[in-house]
Amino acid sequence: MTTVLEALQSAQFVVDTTGQKVAVQVTPAVWEALINWLKTADSVPTVEELLGLADEVPQANLQSEVHVAQEDATLTYSAMKLSEPSFAKVWDNPEDDIYNDL
């Protein structure tokens, strides 16, 4: 069985012409699983909370203060860590055992 951490660590980065990371790609299945988990989570932190910036950067100035690539990487990592226990619980069932060998 693939853990959420393993699935997110398999993400690929999109780079610009200078080699700077500008986006992160995950498979549609991983993306949908993350979205579904977040929709059902009891508590979902804000992006600023995940980045540890809630008290440091006003909402309106967030994009101008934080490089987008760093924000993407931090958000991906944070989502990955937050989702691990829930995915393990949801995916640990006989119906999903067929996916263990993928």
Side-chain angles (χ1 to χ4, degrees), residues 21-23 46-49 51 53-54 56-75:
K21 295 175 184 174
V22 295
T46 66
V47 172
E48 293 79 12
E49 289 169 333
L51 297 174
L53 300 173
E56 296 176 22
V57 180
Q59 177 77 17
N61 295 329
L62 181 63
Q63 289 299 323
S64 64
E65 298 293 327
V66 179
H67 188 274
V68 175
Q70 291 172 331
E71 182 180 10
D72 287 347
T74 302
L75 179 58

Side-chain angles (χ1 to χ4, degrees), residues 2-72:
T2 302
T3 67
V4 173
L5 176 60
E6 291 167 337
L8 289 175
Q9 285 177 328
S10 71
Q12 296 179 341
F13 291 95
V14 176
V15 296
D16 63 15
T17 57
T18 66
Q20 293 292 322
K21 295 175 184 174
V22 295
V24 178
Q25 292 180 332
V26 294
T27 65
V30 169
W31 178 254
E32 290 297 323
L34 284 170
I35 294 297
N36 289 333
W37 173 76
L38 288 170
K39 287 179 181 177
T40 61
D42 292 333
S43 175
V44 178
T46 66
V47 172
E48 293 79 12
E49 289 169 333
L50 289 175
L51 297 174
L53 300 173
D55 297 325
E56 296 176 22
V57 180
Q59 177 77 17
N61 295 329
L62 181 63
Q63 289 299 323
S64 64
E65 298 293 327
V66 179
H67 188 274
V68 175
Q70 291 172 331
E71 182 180 10
D72 287 347

Side-chain angles (χ1 to χ4, degrees), residues 87-102:
F87 277 122
K89 182 178 177 182
V90 170
W91 285 345
D92 189 17
N93 64 72
E95 292 175 356
D96 290 334
D97 285 347
I98 191 170
Y99 298 107
N100 292 346
D101 297 327
L102 295 179

